[in-house]
């Protein structure tokens, strides 16, 4: 009974964040290969890579050596411009990004689940967009991690 | 013609047979699904072969010999609030069971029989805990620091001392499992065999009682976000887009950040010369701060470097960034909370200065 009460309390007072708010995958490939596959997966899904932020380079030049760590920004030009016009606040979360970093001989990819934006921007017109971003982001990451 | 009674019996039999067939045909996760599910949900942190990474190693013989399937199931379901391991609410019991079976496959021997746990004395257990356990597990069982460890960075140990006061741990661990761990230790981790250190079984029962008493203490702090917390930090600038960007450059310099770029928001997305100058981004970073944040949690690249977006919309110039306080909960890492809070304060100061 005590355990049951504890479990219930867990749910209401100190629940761990739900696992589906972050999308995380590991690629068994080394960083360079995983990075290349991520770039290919992004374009295969009809997106354009806007920029690759070389965080590791910034850290290293600042005197903080780091293994490979990059942020890949990507989007679709028409979609980006249409959303910027209709929902300018959404721009704070755009373009979409995937963080990719080396961990030993393998590589970790992580991003926030785009569906999370649906809890931030409660607008029916955006729901479909967030849903298809979630599908695409999961598919991109799975392709990159294969 | 079938008499009504025989028809009912026949119908019942057919229904039963149908249900049985449906049950057999239902896609209950098979053993091989465990590997697929583990790869999808666990390998990113715990490693493809369970050797750890952002998360603790699972393929430790002593761990698998000591913990029950029930412990693993509850750990997956409830997570560890504030200690990175998330709660997998979205998985079915069968899927969690398949993952546990897969993890159990790394064990070279079946789980050892659980020891009997005698009645422990909480007060005496507290004394023993202070002598033998506090050094690694903390005075209040809060566990070792350095969550979000990763093999991409220097690390002293492959595992952190678990937070014994964590409600997820206390809900998952039985007294017998805690006792077995203290008695046997865990090879390849700093956890020793305390029988070899001279503790008696009664001493260990006392410690178990003390650990169980953590349930009655205040809970570990986790990221708690007010529903009213805005998703975006937003200001309206009295200046033009270009002037606002110029002021942001000065503001980030004043905050000891390096300016990375100030460019149109759609640069790289649209063709050259077709960028919209009414939508700009300013990226900036304090690499010392970033290095510190990444050492706590390598996933923090979702929030950093600092990006400010400036948009002209219907005659107004909006200046905005993501709200780190709103996003804190994503990481389920209470060690990251002060970092996110600091980011929240710095971001607000920069936005205020830019539009002042």
């Amino acid at each position: 009974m005590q355990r049951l009460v504890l479990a219930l309390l867990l749910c209401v007072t100190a629940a761990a964040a739900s696992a589906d708010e972050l999308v995380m995958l590991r690629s068994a490939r080394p960083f360079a290969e995983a990075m290349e596959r991520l770039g290919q997966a992004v374009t295969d899904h009809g997106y354009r890579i806007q920029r690759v932020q070389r965080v590791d380079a910034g850290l290293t030049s600042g005197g903080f050596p780091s293994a490979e760590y990059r942020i890949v920004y990507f989007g679709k030009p028409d979609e980006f411009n249409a959303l910027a016009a209709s929902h300018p606040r959404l721009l704070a979360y755009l373009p979409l990004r995937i963080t990719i970093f080396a961990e030993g001989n393998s590589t970790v990819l992580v991003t926030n689940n785009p569906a999370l934006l649906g809890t931030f921007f409660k607008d029916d017109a955006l729901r479909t967009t967030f849903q298809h971003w979630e599908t695409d982001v999961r598919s991109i990451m799975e392709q990159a991690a294969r | 013609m079938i008499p009504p009674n025989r028809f009912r019996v026949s119908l019942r039999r057919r229904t039963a047979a149908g249900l049985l067939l449906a049950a057999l045909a239902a896609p209950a996760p098979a053993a091989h699904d465990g590997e697929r599910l583990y790869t999808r949900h666990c390998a990113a942190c715990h490693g493809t072969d369970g050797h750890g990474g952002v998360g603790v190693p699972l393929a430790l013989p002593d761990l698998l010999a000591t913990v029950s399937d029930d412990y693993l199931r509850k750990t997956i379901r409830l997570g560890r609030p504030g200690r990175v391991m998330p709660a997998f609410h979205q998985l079915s019991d069968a899927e969690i069971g398949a993952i546990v079976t897969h993890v159990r496959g790394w064990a070279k021997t079946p789980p050892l029989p659980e020891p009997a746990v005698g009645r422990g004395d909480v007060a005496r257990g507290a004394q023993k805990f202070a002598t033998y356990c506090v050094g690694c597990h903390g005075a209040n069982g809060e566990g070792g620091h350095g969550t979000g460890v990763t093999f991409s960075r220097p690390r002293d140990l492959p595992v952190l001392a678990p937070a014994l006061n964590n409600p997820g741990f206390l809900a998952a661990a039985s007294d017998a499992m805690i006792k077995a761990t203290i008695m046997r230790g865990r090879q390849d981790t700093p956890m020793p065999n305390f029988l070899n250190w001279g503790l008696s079984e009664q001493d260990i029962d006392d410690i178990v009682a003390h650990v169980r008493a953590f349930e009655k203490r205040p809970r570990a702090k986790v990221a708690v976000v007010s529903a009213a917390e805005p998703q975006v930090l937003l200001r309206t600038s009295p200046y033009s887009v270009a002037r606002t960007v110029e002021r942001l450059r000065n503001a980030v310099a004043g905050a000891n950040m390096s300016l990375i770029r100030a460019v149109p928001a759609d640069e790289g997305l649209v063709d050259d010369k077709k960028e919209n100058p009414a939508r700009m981004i300013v990226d900036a970073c304090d690499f010392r701060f970033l290095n510190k944040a990444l050492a706590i949690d390598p996933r923090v690249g979702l929030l950093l470097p600092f990006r400010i977006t400036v948009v002209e919309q219907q005659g107004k110039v909006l200046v905005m960034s993501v709200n780190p306080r709103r996003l804190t909960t994503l990481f389920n890492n209470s060690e990251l909370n002060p970092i996110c809070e600091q980011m929240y304060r710095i971001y607000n100061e920069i936005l205020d200065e830019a539009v002042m």
Side-chain angles (χ1 to χ4, degrees), chain B residues 149-342:
Chain B
V149 289
T150 162
F151 286 118
S152 64
R153 285 168 175 272
R155 58 197 283 189
D156 299 328
L157 297 167
V159 296
L160 291 173
L164 304 177
N165 68 355
N166 190 281
F169 171 79
L170 290 167
S174 66
D175 288 355
M177 176 236 153
I178 298 171
K179 180 172 180 178
T181 304
I182 300 171
M183 284 171 66
R184 296 170 188 147
R186 294 223 173 116
Q187 204 176 3
D188 300 326
T189 81
M191 180 72 185
N193 170 330
F194 276 98
L195 289 177
N196 290 346
W197 280 41
L199 290 186
S200 67
E201 281 210 40
Q202 181 58 55
D203 292 333
I204 293 173
D205 287 342
D206 294 341
I207 292 173
V208 171
H210 174 68
V211 169
R212 185 57 64 197
F214 286 141
E215 285 177 351
K216 295 171 186 147
R217 294 194 185 178
R219 285 172 205 294
K221 282 183 186 172
V222 293
V224 177
V225 176
S226 158
E229 193 64 45
Q231 70 277 39
V232 172
L233 302 179
L234 182 70
R235 302 289 188 280
T236 303
S237 172
Y239 308 106
S240 66
V241 170
R243 179 80 180 115
T244 304
V245 169
E246 194 52 41
R247 291 182 66 89
L248 280 168
R249 285 173 177 266
N250 294 333
V252 297
N256 291 321
M257 284 190 181
S258 303
L259 179 75
I260 299 173
R261 68 178 66 82
V263 296
D266 55 3
E267 188 189 73
L269 275 183
V270 298
D271 294 335
D272 281 350
K273 316 281 185 202
K274 290 193 176 172
E275 297 96 347
N276 185 346
R279 298 178 193 138
M280 299 287 289
I281 53 162
V282 176
D283 284 349
C285 189
D286 174 349
F287 287 104
R288 182 180 299 276
F289 183 82
L290 174 62
N291 187 55
K292 184 176 152 192
L294 286 173
I296 293 171
D297 198 317
R299 304 167 300 171
V300 81
L302 292 178
L303 297 178
L304 292 168
F306 177 31
R307 167 165 289 192
I308 313 145
T309 307
V310 184
V311 185
E312 187 177 342
Q313 182 80 2
Q314 295 170 340
K316 284 185 181 174
V317 173
L318 306 177
V319 190
M320 59 194 157
S321 80
V322 300
N323 182 352
R325 192 184 267 174
R326 188 76 165 82
L327 295 173
T328 308
T329 51
L330 282 182
F331 301 99
N332 187 37
N333 185 346
S334 56
E335 284 190 38
L336 201 55
N337 295 354
I339 293 282
C340 286
E341 198 57 35
Q342 198 177 343

Side-chain angles (χ1 to χ4, degrees), chain B residues 69-98:
Chain B
D69 286 0
D70 186 56
Y71 171 83
L72 294 172
R73 276 193 295 267
K74 283 179 178 161
T75 294
I76 296 169
R77 176 67 77 207
L78 301 172
R80 294 282 185 272
R83 295 283 287 185
V84 181
M85 171 74 184
F88 285 83
H89 301 301
Q90 80 276 27
L91 295 180
S92 69
D93 289 346
E95 287 171 323
I96 288 178

Side-chain angles (χ1 to χ4, degrees), chain A residues 26-79:
Chain A
R26 179 181 294 267
S27 164
R29 297 171 190 277
F31 179 84
E33 228 175 294
M35 182 72 205
E36 191 181 328
R37 293 176 73 88
L38 175 60
Q40 187 62 51
V42 168
T43 50
D44 284 354
H45 284 74
Y47 292 84
R48 186 181 285 191
I49 292 181
Q50 184 195 33
R51 176 172 293 114
V52 177
Q53 179 76 48
R54 296 190 55 171
V55 177
D56 50 350
L59 282 166
T60 303
S61 64
F64 306 103
S66 168
E68 293 95 335
Y69 194 110
R70 311 267 162 86
I71 302 170
V72 178
Y73 296 92
F74 60 98
K76 293 179 177 174
D78 293 345
E79 191 175 55

